[in-house]
């Protein structure tokens, strides 16, 4: 077989040869055009600084500013023609700027490199994603707090190992997720504050000999300060990794809640009814109402985890400073951010719409000897039995009730006293599920009064 025919076999879309392959592997415009607004914002700040420091004239800076606004307008309106031959968003914008304003466009790139330019653009974009994530989390937290307040008294089973453990309140369960997503909110804000340093002016890697004002550009772009080391500034992608790490933990929490909603909405549990807006029917089984939104949220974590691992792998072997490998930093983050925001919005919608089946929750809470621990605790408090002995007595009573096919509160006092003579009528005050949850008054406990305290605390936080 000739070399030419072999080339045709593997060439495919690259039949034009090595030049086409290199253009395709080198170009990033197919995805980094999402950075257009950030790129133009950075260029406007840079041009204004160059004029303020006397590096370019005021008239050139004004011409550049107006030209960049024209480019942004074209991109926003969809009339801008992106070119793969120009590789990336930076060169596409600069080339079009030159077509619009001519010679002054060539002065825009004074005292900067694509290295600090892309780091700045990407940081600005990721910072926007942290802000969007904060907004999504706040909306979800408010929806959960509303559910907790509505159901502070509703009794449901608490589980360990997905086995009935002790009764809890619906409000307490909702507030558990408030704490989890509250930590996500804290991580989001913490990471945003740490990343808010401007790379602009670090140039290729060593800084620049021009008398630029990096504090001016940092302030113009909303950064707290310029990055302190030019080598680090152009080679750092910790901000993207932190976003993916924070997003991964948040997605894991979303997935755990989604799993519960899938279980709770099943015919076997009937704990909640999800609205039609976040469910679908079956193509063949007319009785089905599938929790598709919850299932898709549960699946999104794979993409977000994958993005985290992928970027960590890209970065792990790179010497300082910039390497072309870092072009592979964006697509993963773009995809993760899109899917995280979609999952947050869908979960907020489901939480706002879902209706708890209070009767089914209470019936389930009463099953499975869920107040056995209350019985053991009562024996310790009221009769002075050591806990291990109380545990044994309780286990014997559970076996007795199981054999009779009844629950613990249904055993007579005589039956209970046949196991432990120290048991009195007062035992019945703790055996009902409502009595059980009301007694859990320790800080952070499931008692309705404690739940309402936490609801009020979080309302103040979210206000």
């Amino acid at each position: 077989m000739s070399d030419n025919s072999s080339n045709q076999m593997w060439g495919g879309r690259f039949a034009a040869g090595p030049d086409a392959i290199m253009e395709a592997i080198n170009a990033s415009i197919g995805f980094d055009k999402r950075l257009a607004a950030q790129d133009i914002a950075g260029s406007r700040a840079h041009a204004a600084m160059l004029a303020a420091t006397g590096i370019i004239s005021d008239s050139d800076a004004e011409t550049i500013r107006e030209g960049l606004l024209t480019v942004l307008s074209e991109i926003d309106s969809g009339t801008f023609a992106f070119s793969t031959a120009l590789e990336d968003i930076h060169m596409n914008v600069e080339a079009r700027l030159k077509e619009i304003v001519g010679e002054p466009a060539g002065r825009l790139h004074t005292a900067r490199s694509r290295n600090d330019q892309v780091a700045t653009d990407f940081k600005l974009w990721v910072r926007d994603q942290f802000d969007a994530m904060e907004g999504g989390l706040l909306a979800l937290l408010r929806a959960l707090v509303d559910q907790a307040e509505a159901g502070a008294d509703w009794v449901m089973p608490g589980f360990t190992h997905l086995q009935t453990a002790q009764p809890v309140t619906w409000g307490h369960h909702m507030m558990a997720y408030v704490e989890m997503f509250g930590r996500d909110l804290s991580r989001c804000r913490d990471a945003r504050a740490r990343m808010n340093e401007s790379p602009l002016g670090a140039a290729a890697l060593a800084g620049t000999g021009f008398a630029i004002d990096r504090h001016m550009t940092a302030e113009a772009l909303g950064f707290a300060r310029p990055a302190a080391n030019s080598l680090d500034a152009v080679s750092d992608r910790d901000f993207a990794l932190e976003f993916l790490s924070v997003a991964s933990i948040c997605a894991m929490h979303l997935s755990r809640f989604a799993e519960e909603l899938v279980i709770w909405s099943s015919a076997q549990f009937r704990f909640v009814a999800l609205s039609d807006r976040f469910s679908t029917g079956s193509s063949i089984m007319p009785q089905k109402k599938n929790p598709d939104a919850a299932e898709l949220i549960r699946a999104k974590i794979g993409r977000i985890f994958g993005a985290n691992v992928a970027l960590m792998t890209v970065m792990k072997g790179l010497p300082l400073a910039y390497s072309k490998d870092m072009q592979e930093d964006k697509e993963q983050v773009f995809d993760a951010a899109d899917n995280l925001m979609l999952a947050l919005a869908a979960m907020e919608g489901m939480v706002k719409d879902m209706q708890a089946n209070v009767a089914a929750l209470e019936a389930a809470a009463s099953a499975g000897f869920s107040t056995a621990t209350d019985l053991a605790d009562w024996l310790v408090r009221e009769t002075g039995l050591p806990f291990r002995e109380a545990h044994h007595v309780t286990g014997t009573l559970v076996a007795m009730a199981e054999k009779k096919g009844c629950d613990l509160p249904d055993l007579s006092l005589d039956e209970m006293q046949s196991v432990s003579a120290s048991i009195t009528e007062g035992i019945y005050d703790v055996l009902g599920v409502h009595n059980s949850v009301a007694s859990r008054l320790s800080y952070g406990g499931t008692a309705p009064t404690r739940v309402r305290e936490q609801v009020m605390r979080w309302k103040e936080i979210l206000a």
Side-chain angles (χ1 to χ4, degrees):
M1 184 178 290
S2 70
D3 287 344
N4 186 55
S5 60
S6 174
N7 181 61
Q8 287 176 347
M9 284 186 67
W10 64 258
R13 59 185 288 206
F14 302 123
D19 289 348
I21 296 171
M22 188 58 196
E23 180 177 297
I25 198 171
N26 198 46
S28 59
I29 189 60
F31 52 85
D32 71 12
K33 60 188 174 184
R34 288 185 67 161
L35 301 176
Q38 289 78 16
D39 189 71
I40 289 170
S43 290
R44 289 179 64 192
H46 185 66
M49 180 276 295
L50 291 176
T53 53
I55 296 170
I56 67 173
S57 68
D58 289 341
S59 62
D60 278 352
E62 178 60 22
T63 300
I64 289 168
R65 188 190 75 83
E66 292 179 0
L68 286 169
L69 289 176
T70 301
V71 174
L72 182 61
S73 175
E74 291 176 355
I75 292 171
D76 287 344
S77 66
T79 60
F80 189 93
F82 292 101
S83 167
T84 304
L86 290 169
E87 294 185 18
D88 56 33
I89 185 61
H90 324 298
M91 297 305 291
N92 270 262
V93 168
E94 190 172 324
R96 179 61 183 139
L97 180 65
K98 187 174 182 180
E99 290 175 355
I100 296 169
V101 306
E103 184 187 10
R107 298 190 175 93
L108 172 60
H109 208 54
T110 307
R112 79 174 180 187
S113 159
R114 274 195 289 179
N115 294 354
D116 62 334
Q117 188 178 359
V118 69
T120 302
D121 293 358
F122 197 25
K123 260 200 174 182
L124 289 170
W125 193 90
V126 171
R127 193 177 69 183
D128 289 343
Q129 303 317 300
F130 273 123
D131 291 342
M133 182 183 181
E134 178 176 0
L137 281 166
L138 286 169
L140 175 55
L141 285 164
R142 291 186 180 106
L144 286 163
V145 168
D146 286 346
Q147 280 282 357
E149 186 171 32
D153 294 298
W154 302 342
V155 180
M156 65 177 290
F159 298 96
T160 60
H161 309 278
L162 205 56
Q163 307 292 315
T164 299
Q166 294 174 273
V168 296
T169 53
W170 171 268
H172 195 53
H173 201 109
M174 294 299 108
M175 291 307 292
Y177 281 104
V178 168
E179 293 295 327
M180 290 160 68
F181 291 117
R183 291 192 295 274
D184 292 324
L185 180 63
S186 175
R187 277 184 285 269
C188 174
R189 289 170 170 171
D190 178 56
R192 190 203 188 280
R194 184 165 34 258
M195 70 161 284
N196 204 29
E197 296 182 343
S198 174
L200 194 57
L205 76 162
T208 176
F210 289 95
I212 61 173
D213 185 346
R214 292 190 61 211
H215 288 85
M216 179 181 173
T217 50
E219 184 178 354
L221 294 169
F223 288 110
R225 66 194 69 84
N229 183 285
S230 60
L231 278 168
D232 178 58
V234 298
S235 58
D236 166 45
R237 292 299 182 270
D238 286 3
F239 61 92
L241 288 167
E242 275 205 82
F243 174 76
L244 293 176
S245 299
V246 171
S248 293
I249 297 172
C250 181
M252 177 268 292
H253 290 153
L254 289 166
S255 183
R256 291 183 72 178
F257 196 14
E259 170 74 359
E260 294 206 312
L261 293 180
V262 170
I263 294 169
W264 289 358
S265 62
S266 68
Q268 288 72 27
F269 273 72
R270 295 185 305 109
F271 284 4
V272 298
L274 301 177
S275 74
D276 291 345
R277 295 197 305 164
F278 295 98
S279 307
T280 62
S282 165
S283 62
I284 192 172
M285 295 169 282
Q287 84 282 8
K288 292 288 292 298
K289 185 176 179 181
N290 300 323
D292 281 11
E295 291 171 354
L296 288 166
I297 289 171
R298 193 172 56 184
K300 293 294 184 189
I301 193 169
R303 300 171 75 125
I304 297 169
F305 272 15
N308 194 15
V309 173
L311 183 53
M312 197 78 79
T313 305
V314 167
M315 296 302 298
K316 74 172 181 63
L318 299 187
L320 296 180
Y322 183 84
S323 298
K324 193 69 171 179
D325 310 52
M326 291 164 72
Q327 185 169 290
E328 290 296 310
D329 59 359
K330 295 170 200 68
E331 286 179 284
Q332 308 288 348
V333 181
F334 292 162
D335 185 74
D338 290 346
N339 282 283
L340 177 68
M341 289 310 303
L342 189 58
L344 280 169
M347 184 60 82
E348 181 214 350
M350 281 193 295
V351 170
K352 286 174 74 172
D353 285 4
M354 70 181 179
Q355 298 291 320
N357 184 340
V358 180
L361 289 169
E362 184 162 341
S366 303
F369 308 107
S370 63
T371 56
T373 306
D374 297 277
L375 196 158
D377 288 346
W378 184 90
L379 287 168
V380 172
R381 281 197 316 271
E382 302 298 325
T383 72
L385 281 180
F387 182 80
R388 285 302 169 201
E389 190 175 335
H391 189 282
H392 176 75
V393 169
T394 302
T396 305
L397 290 170
V398 166
M400 180 185 291
E402 199 166 30
K403 188 173 182 180
K404 287 191 64 179
C406 68
D407 201 0
L408 287 171
D410 302 317
L411 292 174
S412 70
L413 184 59
D414 287 343
E415 287 170 322
M416 290 195 187
Q417 289 177 337
S418 71
V419 176
S420 176
S422 59
I423 296 176
T424 67
E425 194 77 35
I427 190 68
Y428 294 103
D429 292 338
V430 300
L431 287 182
V433 289
H434 286 281
N435 292 333
S436 174
V437 296
S439 72
R440 305 288 172 182
L441 286 164
S442 57
Y443 182 81
T446 192
T449 54
R450 290 289 176 256
V451 171
R452 289 192 177 94
E453 286 172 1
Q454 294 301 321
V455 165
M456 292 310 298
R457 180 174 75 90
W458 270 97
K459 279 189 165 184
E460 289 175 9
I461 292 170
L462 296 172

